[in-house]
Amino acid sequence: MRKNEKEVLDGYVVDIICLRRISPSQYTNQASEHSTACALMDHCVESGYGLIGENNELKLLDPKATPRIVALLKQTDKDKGVRLRVEREQNDQEMTTTKVSFA
C-alpha cells in the first residue's frame, strides 16, 4: 500500500484472546455469537481486537482502535454479535485506525 491509502472494514468485533480459541473455519459463525460482556472484560480489552467479515475473513486491528471499540461496546444494547465499521489509512508500514462506528 502507498502512503495515505485508505480502507474501510466491516465485521463482528472479537477480542484476540477469544479469536485464538476459534477455528478459522468457524470465525463468522462464532463471531456473531461473541458476547459484548466478554469483549469488555479487562484481559480481553488488553489483548486488542479483530474484525471478522464474511467468509471467515479476519482483520486484526491496531492498538489505536481499542479505546474507540471499548467506547462503542459500552454504548450498545446488543448482548452479542456487535458489528463495527473501522476506517484505516496507511501510516509508514502499517494501517492505522482513524474512525470506528457501528456498521
Side-chain angles (χ1 to χ4, degrees):
M1 288 190 163
R2 294 181 302 273
K3 190 167 177 74
N4 296 328
E5 193 162 332
K6 299 178 181 186
E7 69 180 352
V8 177
L9 309 169
D10 287 327
Y12 294 105
V13 64
V14 181
D15 57 88
I16 303 299
I17 288 175
C18 289
L19 279 170
R20 291 182 180 150
R21 298 179 187 155
I22 301 172
S23 168
S25 66
Q26 292 296 311
Y27 277 160
T28 302
N29 289 336
Q30 294 293 316
S32 67
E33 297 295 317
H34 187 251
S35 76
T36 304
C38 177
L40 286 171
M41 290 182 181
D42 288 344
H43 61 282
C44 294
V45 172
E46 290 173 13
S47 74
Y49 295 97
L51 285 186
I52 304 292
E54 299 304 317
N55 301 317
N56 300 312
E57 181 183 5
L58 167 63
K59 292 286 189 170
L60 296 176
L61 302 174
D62 63 285
K64 288 186 178 185
T66 299
R68 296 170 181 185
I69 290 171
V70 169
L72 289 175
L73 290 173
K74 288 180 177 179
Q75 291 176 24
T76 188
D77 57 358
K78 293 189 77 165
D79 292 333
K80 62 183 179 180
V82 176
R83 289 185 57 85
L84 297 179
R85 170 169 286 155
V86 174
E87 297 177 27
R88 310 191 304 177
E89 65 181 44
Q90 184 72 23
N91 187 354
D92 294 321
Q93 298 297 317
E94 62 187 21
M95 295 300 289
T96 303
T97 299
T98 57
K99 184 178 179 183
V100 180
S101 58
F102 291 109

